[in-house]
């Protein structure tokens, strides 16, 4: 440390205002960063002591700036980093929690005692241990669960994986992120597929690794067969004749489907969707006979239909549990998240493999 800086440093430490402390902190930090890759541990220890004194009485903005600057440094002063990591303000704690080396015991203590913003920052760290992920999965909210599931370097215990799969029942985004992991146990992956909504199932299928795609197809085939076994048979001959005539005249379009649904013409609605999508009517009937609204969403997205049409078709299925207010809101969320390209890939699966 330059000798000329020492008298001023001593004065600031003893009598300096927060503003002077912040200015001195910036100068000392500049000095540290300028030679951090060459400093021996004892040198870093000196900076640890000095910076630790300076930040004892300093504004949050200066602390946040310090955290941002030293977070990428592998040999950042340990004591300073620990003080920053436990700060209540996430602008201060966040940068070091996300990437700066910290002892597992310190991280576990922070994860057990701090709020969701701190947990979210920890979830983004590379190399998370099973103990840390256990805490994050147990204490974290939806955003934390999604984040840690996305972290490819995080290690999960079987119990944590099981809890995430259970939470994914109500969180399609989480289900997709868990399903894309290569380390998920096979039996939990199967459970994830079985409990997922139709939209999420198809997204998992569209994005699956080749070695797992056949397993998903087999599971979905079993589900479809079970649904088909309970659905009452319907005769679509008359409805198909109507919609095919409309198709020849150019009148089979989104407005026609909306009209069928609004007037409770179920057979014509199914026949129209099947004809427009080139999916066998028996397949569309089987998919639509359940409580889930996902098949409607997929077919409509592939055809570039609006949400108003989707909602009308969903609500036309009298008695279905999928028409509650909560179910409609969930369907709207799935509709907004599903891209036309993904929907088209799913429809192509139905066209080629009508038993799915």
């Amino acid at each position: 440390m330059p000798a000329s800086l020492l008298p001023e440093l001593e004065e600031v430490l003893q009598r300096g205002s927060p503003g002077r402390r912040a200015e001195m902190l910036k100068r000392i930090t500049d000095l540290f960063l300028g030679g951090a890759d060459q400093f021996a541990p004892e040198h870093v220890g000196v900076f640890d002591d000095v910076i630790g004194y300076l930040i004892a009485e300093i504004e949050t903005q200066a602390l946040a700036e310090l955290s941002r600057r030293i977070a990428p440094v592998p040999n950042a002063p340990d004591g300073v980093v620990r003080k920053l990591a436990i700060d209540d303000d996430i602008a201060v704690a966040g940068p070091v929690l996300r990437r700066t080396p910290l002892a597992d015991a310190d991280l576990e203590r922070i994860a057990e005692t701090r709020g969701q913003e701190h947990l979210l920052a920890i979830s983004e760290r590379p190399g998370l241990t099973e103990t840390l992920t256990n805490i994050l999965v147990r204490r974290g909210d939806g955003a934390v669960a999604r984040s840690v599931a996305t972290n490819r370097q995080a290690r999960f215990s079987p119990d944590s994986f099981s809890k995430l799969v259970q939470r994914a029942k109500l969180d399609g985004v989480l289900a997709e992120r868990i399903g894309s992991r290569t380390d998920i146990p096979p039996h939990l992956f199967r459970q994830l597929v079985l409990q997922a909504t139709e939209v999420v199932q198809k997204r998992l299928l569209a994005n699956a690794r080749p070695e797992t795609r056949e397993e998903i197809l087999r599971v979905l085939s079993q589900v479809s067969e079970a649904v088909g076994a309970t659905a009452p048979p319907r005769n679509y001959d008359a409805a198909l004749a109507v919609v095919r005539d409309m198709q020849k005249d150019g009148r089979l379009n989104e407005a026609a489907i909306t009209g069928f649904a609004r007037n409770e013409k179920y057979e014509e609605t199914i026949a129209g969707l099947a004809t427009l999508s080139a999916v066998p009517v028996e397949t569309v009937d089987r998919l639509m006979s359940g409580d889930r609204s996902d098949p409607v969403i997929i077919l409509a997205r592939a055809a570039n239909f609006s949400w108003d049409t989707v909602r009308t078709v969903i609500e036309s299925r009298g008695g279905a549990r999928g028409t509650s207010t909560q179910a409609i809101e969930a369907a709207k969320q799935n509709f907004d998240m599903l891209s036309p390209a993904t929907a088209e890939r799913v429809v192509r699966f139905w066209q080629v493999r009508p038993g799915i």
Side-chain angles (χ1 to χ4, degrees):
M1 191 172 296
S4 60
L5 187 60
L6 294 177
E8 184 179 356
L9 174 61
E10 183 177 359
E11 181 185 354
V12 169
L13 289 175
Q14 293 180 1
R15 294 179 293 275
S17 65
R20 289 194 66 193
R21 281 177 171 264
E23 177 59 29
M24 180 59 68
L25 174 63
K26 183 178 184 304
R27 294 167 64 184
I28 297 296
T29 304
D30 289 341
L31 191 62
F32 171 72
L33 295 177
D37 57 347
Q38 301 174 20
F39 290 144
E42 56 267 27
H43 300 141
V44 177
V46 173
F47 280 99
D48 202 4
D49 290 339
V50 173
I51 295 176
Y53 280 119
L54 286 171
I55 64 177
E57 298 177 16
I58 205 166
E59 294 180 350
T60 298
Q61 184 177 355
L63 288 177
E65 176 66 12
L66 171 65
S67 180
R68 184 189 65 79
R69 297 185 69 193
I70 70 170
V73 181
N75 62 336
D78 290 340
V80 172
V81 169
R82 284 196 295 271
K83 289 180 182 178
L84 296 174
I86 63 174
D87 197 279
D88 290 334
D89 195 316
I90 193 60
V92 176
V96 295
L97 287 178
R98 291 186 183 94
R99 59 187 303 185
T100 311
L102 278 161
D104 287 340
D106 291 329
L107 287 168
E108 291 163 15
R109 186 162 48 252
I110 294 169
E112 286 283 13
T113 58
R114 289 298 188 267
Q116 296 303 316
E117 290 181 321
H118 288 66
L119 295 179
L120 183 60
I122 294 173
S123 73
E124 299 172 11
R125 290 180 65 86
L128 289 177
T129 64
E130 285 190 5
T131 302
L132 269 172
T133 57
N134 286 344
I135 300 171
L136 295 175
V137 170
R138 173 169 53 83
R139 294 196 66 232
D141 59 13
V144 174
R146 293 176 181 182
S147 177
V148 73
T150 309
N151 189 334
R152 297 302 178 191
Q153 295 185 39
R155 298 195 298 275
F156 291 88
S157 67
D159 183 62
S160 285
F161 260 130
S162 179
K163 288 178 180 176
L164 283 176
V165 170
Q166 288 296 320
R167 294 178 66 166
K169 287 182 179 180
L170 303 176
D171 189 337
V173 174
L174 178 60
E176 290 185 62
R177 295 185 180 182
I178 299 171
S180 67
R181 296 190 64 92
T182 59
D183 53 346
I184 182 173
H187 70 284
L188 290 177
F189 182 75
R190 177 183 173 85
Q191 179 182 337
L192 184 73
V193 173
L194 286 173
Q195 73 185 24
T197 65
E198 192 82 20
V199 167
V200 174
Q201 286 176 347
K202 299 311 180 183
R203 286 185 191 145
L204 289 171
L205 179 60
N207 299 317
R209 304 184 305 277
E211 59 268 27
T212 60
R213 183 169 296 167
E214 285 303 317
E215 172 64 13
I216 300 176
L217 287 170
R218 187 177 67 81
V219 171
L220 295 183
S221 179
Q222 292 175 347
V223 173
S224 294
E225 289 172 3
V227 172
T230 60
R234 290 177 181 268
N235 189 320
Y236 286 97
D237 291 344
L240 285 171
V242 170
V243 300
R244 285 168 181 167
D245 285 341
M246 295 178 66
Q247 187 180 38
K248 291 178 184 178
D249 298 338
R251 293 180 291 117
L252 185 60
N253 50 29
E254 180 176 2
I257 299 298
T258 303
F260 289 147
R262 186 171 292 126
N263 292 299
E264 299 182 355
K265 295 183 177 181
Y266 184 83
E267 285 79 5
E268 286 80 358
T269 303
I270 299 299
L273 288 171
T275 302
L276 286 174
S277 63
V279 175
V281 69
E282 295 81 8
T283 299
V284 177
D285 175 49
R286 183 163 51 250
L287 293 168
M288 294 278 286
S289 63
D291 293 320
R292 293 177 172 176
S293 59
D294 308 309
V296 181
I297 296 171
I298 294 169
L299 292 169
R301 263 301 191 196
N304 289 316
F305 286 179
S306 68
W307 164 247
D308 289 339
T309 297
V310 174
R311 179 167 187 159
T312 301
V313 174
I314 292 173
E315 293 177 340
S316 72
R317 302 180 306 160
R321 291 196 297 272
T323 57
S324 68
T325 300
Q326 184 177 6
I328 290 294
E329 291 175 354
K332 177 61 164 63
Q333 184 179 20
N334 280 332
F335 177 82
D336 291 337
M337 292 174 58
L338 181 64
S339 70
T342 299
E344 289 169 7
R345 286 197 296 271
V346 174
V347 169
R348 284 197 293 272
F349 278 115
W350 286 337
Q351 292 168 344
V352 175
R353 301 185 66 148
I356 299 304

